[in-house]
Each structure stands twice: as structure tokens, then as C-alpha cells.
Tab-separated table of all heavy atoms in Angstrom:
chain	number	residue	atom	x	y	z
A	17	THR	N	17.125	-15.337	4.834
A	17	THR	CA	16.518	-16.158	5.874
A	17	THR	C	16.057	-15.294	7.047
A	17	THR	O	16.460	-14.134	7.188
A	17	THR	CB	17.515	-17.203	6.401
A	17	THR	OG1	18.583	-16.529	7.095
A	17	THR	CG2	18.095	-18.038	5.269
A	18	ARG	N	15.232	-15.898	7.901
A	18	ARG	CA	14.762	-15.203	9.107
A	18	ARG	C	15.948	-14.784	9.969
A	18	ARG	O	15.965	-13.683	10.531
A	18	ARG	CB	13.834	-16.114	9.918
A	18	ARG	CG	12.469	-16.371	9.308
A	18	ARG	CD	11.676	-17.344	10.173
A	18	ARG	NE	11.450	-16.775	11.496
A	18	ARG	CZ	10.351	-16.121	11.854
A	18	ARG	NH1	9.366	-15.951	10.987
A	18	ARG	NH2	10.209	-15.652	13.069
A	19	PHE	N	16.941	-15.659	10.085
A	19	PHE	CA	18.076	-15.341	10.945
A	19	PHE	C	18.817	-14.114	10.435
A	19	PHE	O	19.147	-13.216	11.214
A	19	PHE	CB	19.041	-16.532	11.033
A	19	PHE	CG	20.272	-16.213	11.840
A	19	PHE	CD1	20.229	-16.250	13.222
A	19	PHE	CD2	21.456	-15.835	11.220
A	19	PHE	CE1	21.348	-15.925	13.984
A	19	PHE	CE2	22.576	-15.509	11.959
A	19	PHE	CZ	22.516	-15.551	13.349
A	20	VAL	N	19.099	-14.050	9.144
A	20	VAL	CA	19.836	-12.908	8.590
A	20	VAL	C	19.029	-11.627	8.746
A	20	VAL	O	19.555	-10.583	9.147
A	20	VAL	CB	20.189	-13.152	7.109
A	20	VAL	CG1	20.846	-11.912	6.501
A	20	VAL	CG2	21.121	-14.351	6.977
A	21	ALA	N	17.742	-11.679	8.442
A	21	ALA	CA	16.892	-10.495	8.568
A	21	ALA	C	16.850	-9.990	9.996
A	21	ALA	O	16.871	-8.781	10.250
A	21	ALA	CB	15.481	-10.811	8.081
A	22	ASP	N	16.835	-10.910	10.944
A	22	ASP	CA	16.698	-10.541	12.353
A	22	ASP	C	18.027	-10.141	12.980
A	22	ASP	O	18.083	-9.256	13.832
A	22	ASP	CB	16.091	-11.723	13.123
A	22	ASP	CG	15.572	-11.316	14.488
A	22	ASP	OD1	15.005	-10.214	14.609
A	22	ASP	OD2	15.729	-12.100	15.444
A	23	PHE	N	19.125	-10.776	12.535
A	23	PHE	CA	20.429	-10.533	13.161
A	23	PHE	C	21.120	-9.304	12.589
A	23	PHE	O	21.791	-8.567	13.314
A	23	PHE	CB	21.331	-11.763	12.993
A	23	PHE	CG	22.653	-11.638	13.696
A	23	PHE	CD1	22.742	-11.779	15.076
A	23	PHE	CD2	23.821	-11.361	12.987
A	23	PHE	CE1	23.958	-11.649	15.739
A	23	PHE	CE2	25.039	-11.231	13.643
A	23	PHE	CZ	25.104	-11.373	15.018
A	24	VAL	N	20.989	-9.080	11.291
A	24	VAL	CA	21.677	-7.962	10.630
A	24	VAL	C	20.695	-6.805	10.474
A	24	VAL	O	19.739	-6.888	9.716
A	24	VAL	CB	22.230	-8.377	9.256
A	24	VAL	CG1	22.972	-7.211	8.620
A	24	VAL	CG2	23.143	-9.580	9.394
A	25	GLY	N	20.950	-5.719	11.194
A	25	GLY	CA	20.039	-4.587	11.124
A	25	GLY	C	18.792	-4.829	11.940
A	25	GLY	O	18.683	-5.788	12.702
A	26	SER	N	17.816	-3.955	11.767
A	26	SER	CA	16.561	-4.054	12.499
A	26	SER	C	15.436	-4.274	11.500
A	26	SER	O	15.255	-3.471	10.576
A	26	SER	CB	16.324	-2.766	13.299
A	26	SER	OG	15.062	-2.787	13.933
A	27	ALA	N	14.694	-5.361	11.655
A	27	ALA	CA	13.649	-5.700	10.688
A	27	ALA	C	12.388	-6.176	11.390
A	27	ALA	O	12.439	-6.752	12.485
A	27	ALA	CB	14.139	-6.778	9.724
A	28	ASN	N	11.262	-5.939	10.760
A	28	ASN	CA	9.990	-6.523	11.178
A	28	ASN	C	9.781	-7.817	10.405
A	28	ASN	O	9.910	-7.833	9.168
A	28	ASN	CB	8.833	-5.566	10.863
A	28	ASN	CG	8.910	-4.282	11.670
A	28	ASN	OD1	8.558	-4.252	12.842
A	28	ASN	ND2	9.379	-3.206	11.032
A	29	LEU	N	9.480	-8.902	11.088
A	29	LEU	CA	9.165	-10.184	10.462
A	29	LEU	C	7.658	-10.364	10.500
A	29	LEU	O	7.054	-10.414	11.582
A	29	LEU	CB	9.879	-11.323	11.181
A	29	LEU	CG	11.408	-11.208	11.250
A	29	LEU	CD1	12.005	-12.399	11.987
A	29	LEU	CD2	12.018	-11.086	9.856
A	30	ILE	N	7.049	-10.439	9.336
A	30	ILE	CA	5.590	-10.481	9.221
A	30	ILE	C	5.189	-11.855	8.707
A	30	ILE	O	5.601	-12.274	7.617
A	30	ILE	CB	5.082	-9.377	8.272
A	30	ILE	CG1	5.570	-8.004	8.760
A	30	ILE	CG2	3.569	-9.406	8.175
A	30	ILE	CD1	5.367	-6.897	7.751
A	31	ALA	N	4.392	-12.570	9.493
A	31	ALA	CA	3.971	-13.924	9.140
A	31	ALA	C	2.770	-13.885	8.201
A	31	ALA	O	1.978	-12.937	8.201
A	31	ALA	CB	3.629	-14.710	10.401
A	32	GLY	N	2.645	-14.936	7.383
A	32	GLY	CA	1.511	-15.030	6.470
A	32	GLY	C	1.733	-16.132	5.456
A	32	GLY	O	2.391	-17.132	5.734
A	33	ARG	N	1.211	-15.921	4.240
A	33	ARG	CA	1.359	-16.933	3.186
A	33	ARG	C	1.351	-16.258	1.824
A	33	ARG	O	0.816	-15.148	1.657
A	33	ARG	CB	0.220	-17.947	3.257
A	33	ARG	CG	-1.142	-17.357	2.937
A	33	ARG	CD	-2.254	-18.393	2.992
A	33	ARG	NE	-3.526	-17.805	2.565
A	33	ARG	CZ	-3.935	-17.759	1.297
A	33	ARG	NH1	-3.167	-18.257	0.335
A	33	ARG	NH2	-5.099	-17.216	0.983
A	34	ILE	N	1.959	-16.933	0.840
A	34	ILE	CA	1.927	-16.441	-0.533
A	34	ILE	C	0.507	-16.591	-1.064
A	34	ILE	O	-0.107	-17.656	-0.959
A	34	ILE	CB	2.923	-17.210	-1.414
A	34	ILE	CG1	4.363	-16.947	-0.939
A	34	ILE	CG2	2.773	-16.814	-2.877
A	34	ILE	CD1	5.407	-17.744	-1.687
A	35	ALA	N	-0.007	-15.510	-1.647
A	35	ALA	CA	-1.384	-15.522	-2.148
A	35	ALA	C	-1.439	-15.385	-3.668
A	35	ALA	O	-2.519	-15.205	-4.232
A	35	ALA	CB	-2.193	-14.403	-1.488
A	36	GLY	N	-0.299	-15.460	-4.343
A	36	GLY	CA	-0.278	-15.361	-5.797
A	36	GLY	C	0.778	-14.377	-6.253
A	36	GLY	O	1.499	-13.786	-5.458
A	37	SER	N	0.861	-14.205	-7.572
A	37	SER	CA	1.833	-13.266	-8.133
A	37	SER	C	1.164	-11.935	-8.398
A	37	SER	O	-0.041	-11.862	-8.630
A	37	SER	CB	2.433	-13.827	-9.424
A	37	SER	OG	1.414	-14.049	-10.378
A	38	ALA	N	1.962	-10.874	-8.365
A	38	ALA	CA	1.446	-9.539	-8.673
A	38	ALA	C	1.391	-9.370	-10.197
A	38	ALA	O	1.683	-10.293	-10.952
A	38	ALA	CB	2.329	-8.481	-8.025
A	39	ASP	N	1.039	-8.180	-10.646
A	39	ASP	CA	0.741	-7.957	-12.063
A	39	ASP	C	1.991	-7.867	-12.929
A	39	ASP	O	2.400	-6.789	-13.339
A	39	ASP	CB	-0.093	-6.678	-12.229
A	39	ASP	CG	-1.431	-6.788	-11.509
A	39	ASP	OD1	-1.916	-7.922	-11.382
A	39	ASP	OD2	-1.946	-5.749	-11.088
A	40	GLY	N	2.639	-9.007	-13.184
A	40	GLY	CA	3.708	-9.079	-14.154
A	40	GLY	C	4.969	-8.306	-13.836
A	40	GLY	O	5.799	-8.086	-14.712
A	41	ASN	N	5.153	-7.889	-12.583
A	41	ASN	CA	6.341	-7.103	-12.234
A	41	ASN	C	7.351	-7.919	-11.445
A	41	ASN	O	8.314	-7.369	-10.912
A	41	ASN	CB	5.928	-5.851	-11.445
A	41	ASN	CG	5.082	-6.199	-10.216
A	41	ASN	OD1	5.001	-7.364	-9.831
A	41	ASN	ND2	4.452	-5.192	-9.630
A	42	GLY	N	7.125	-9.224	-11.351
A	42	GLY	CA	8.053	-10.073	-10.613
A	42	GLY	C	7.786	-10.102	-9.128
A	42	GLY	O	8.445	-10.841	-8.389
A	43	HIS	N	6.852	-9.314	-8.639
A	43	HIS	CA	6.507	-9.313	-7.224
A	43	HIS	C	5.459	-10.378	-6.944
A	43	HIS	O	4.816	-10.909	-7.847
A	43	HIS	CB	5.978	-7.939	-6.802
A	43	HIS	CG	7.009	-6.858	-6.882
A	43	HIS	ND1	6.689	-5.518	-6.884
A	43	HIS	CD2	8.364	-6.910	-6.984
A	43	HIS	CE1	7.788	-4.801	-6.974
A	43	HIS	NE2	8.819	-5.632	-7.032
A	44	ILE	N	5.300	-10.689	-5.663
A	44	ILE	CA	4.278	-11.656	-5.251
A	44	ILE	C	3.297	-10.969	-4.312
A	44	ILE	O	3.610	-9.950	-3.686
A	44	ILE	CB	4.899	-12.906	-4.587
A	44	ILE	CG1	5.767	-12.520	-3.371
A	44	ILE	CG2	5.745	-13.681	-5.595
A	44	ILE	CD1	5.104	-12.728	-2.065
A	45	ARG	N	2.103	-11.533	-4.243
A	45	ARG	CA	1.106	-11.067	-3.277
A	45	ARG	C	1.237	-11.934	-2.033
A	45	ARG	O	1.358	-13.154	-2.117
A	45	ARG	CB	-0.298	-11.150	-3.865
A	45	ARG	CG	-0.497	-10.225	-5.058
A	45	ARG	CD	-1.810	-10.478	-5.778
A	45	ARG	NE	-2.941	-10.053	-4.950
A	45	ARG	CZ	-3.935	-10.845	-4.561
A	45	ARG	NH1	-3.916	-12.138	-4.915
A	45	ARG	NH2	-4.926	-10.387	-3.845
A	46	PHE	N	1.236	-11.292	-0.885
A	46	PHE	CA	1.463	-11.980	0.382
A	46	PHE	C	0.344	-11.585	1.346
A	46	PHE	O	0.160	-10.399	1.637
A	46	PHE	CB	2.823	-11.589	0.964
A	46	PHE	CG	3.223	-12.349	2.193
A	46	PHE	CD1	3.841	-13.587	2.100
A	46	PHE	CD2	2.984	-11.835	3.465
A	46	PHE	CE1	4.227	-14.289	3.234
A	46	PHE	CE2	3.358	-12.523	4.595
A	46	PHE	CZ	3.980	-13.762	4.483
A	47	GLU	N	-0.390	-12.578	1.817
A	47	GLU	CA	-1.476	-12.318	2.766
A	47	GLU	C	-0.945	-12.492	4.190
A	47	GLU	O	-0.557	-13.587	4.594
A	47	GLU	CB	-2.653	-13.266	2.541
A	47	GLU	CG	-3.839	-12.976	3.450
A	47	GLU	CD	-5.003	-13.912	3.222
A	47	GLU	OE1	-4.885	-14.817	2.367
A	47	GLU	OE2	-6.023	-13.760	3.927
A	48	SER	N	-0.881	-11.389	4.918
A	48	SER	CA	-0.337	-11.434	6.270
A	48	SER	C	-1.399	-11.895	7.256
A	48	SER	O	-2.599	-11.944	6.943
A	48	SER	CB	0.164	-10.052	6.673
A	48	SER	OG	-0.918	-9.148	6.784
A	49	ALA	N	-0.939	-12.241	8.452
A	49	ALA	CA	-1.870	-12.572	9.524
A	49	ALA	C	-2.780	-11.379	9.752
A	49	ALA	O	-2.339	-10.237	9.785
A	49	ALA	CB	-1.103	-12.900	10.795
A	50	GLY	N	-4.063	-11.628	9.892
A	50	GLY	CA	-5.015	-10.527	10.011
A	50	GLY	C	-5.660	-10.185	8.689
A	50	GLY	O	-6.547	-9.326	8.621
A	51	GLY	N	-5.195	-10.826	7.590
A	51	GLY	CA	-5.827	-10.665	6.292
A	51	GLY	C	-5.329	-9.508	5.459
A	51	GLY	O	-5.822	-9.302	4.340
A	52	LEU	N	-4.342	-8.733	5.935
A	52	LEU	CA	-3.835	-7.614	5.149
A	52	LEU	C	-3.028	-8.143	3.964
A	52	LEU	O	-2.128	-8.959	4.130
A	52	LEU	CB	-2.954	-6.713	6.020
A	52	LEU	CG	-2.333	-5.489	5.324
A	52	LEU	CD1	-3.409	-4.518	4.884
A	52	LEU	CD2	-1.336	-4.799	6.248
A	53	MET	N	-3.348	-7.663	2.755
A	53	MET	CA	-2.657	-8.105	1.554
A	53	MET	C	-1.484	-7.162	1.252
A	53	MET	O	-1.660	-5.942	1.195
A	53	MET	CB	-3.618	-8.128	0.364
A	53	MET	CG	-3.109	-8.957	-0.803
A	53	MET	SD	-2.986	-10.730	-0.419
A	53	MET	CE	-4.724	-11.163	-0.265
A	54	LEU	N	-0.293	-7.738	1.101
A	54	LEU	CA	0.909	-6.965	0.832
A	54	LEU	C	1.498	-7.381	-0.506
A	54	LEU	O	1.272	-8.494	-0.994
A	54	LEU	CB	1.955	-7.190	1.937
A	54	LEU	CG	1.558	-6.819	3.360
A	54	LEU	CD1	2.641	-7.270	4.335
A	54	LEU	CD2	1.308	-5.318	3.484
A	55	GLU	N	2.293	-6.493	-1.078
A	55	GLU	CA	3.059	-6.812	-2.270
A	55	GLU	C	4.523	-6.911	-1.856
A	55	GLU	O	5.049	-6.022	-1.189
A	55	GLU	CB	2.880	-5.727	-3.330
A	55	GLU	CG	3.467	-6.089	-4.683
A	55	GLU	CD	3.110	-5.069	-5.752
A	55	GLU	OE1	2.148	-4.306	-5.558
A	55	GLU	OE2	3.825	-5.028	-6.778
A	56	ALA	N	5.181	-8.007	-2.234
A	56	ALA	CA	6.547	-8.266	-1.784
A	56	ALA	C	7.415	-8.700	-2.945
A	56	ALA	O	6.914	-9.080	-4.015
A	56	ALA	CB	6.542	-9.342	-0.689
């Protein structure tokens, strides 16, 4: 959750939306604010 990520250790929270699944590796594609596409 956001709380665990933020409270335990130091983390960057990046907003966006799920944009689909990655190429069969169990990862997802995530489109961040600003349009940058990430693999998560």
C-alpha cells in the first residue's frame, strides 16, 4: 500500500495508470503522469 511504501524506508510514489501487460514476464506496463511508460 501507499502507507507501507511511504512509512517504511524511503520511496518515490509515482502516479499514473495501468496501460497493459508486458511481454509475458508477469510485469505490467504503467503510464506515469507526463506520459512516461514504465515497466512494473
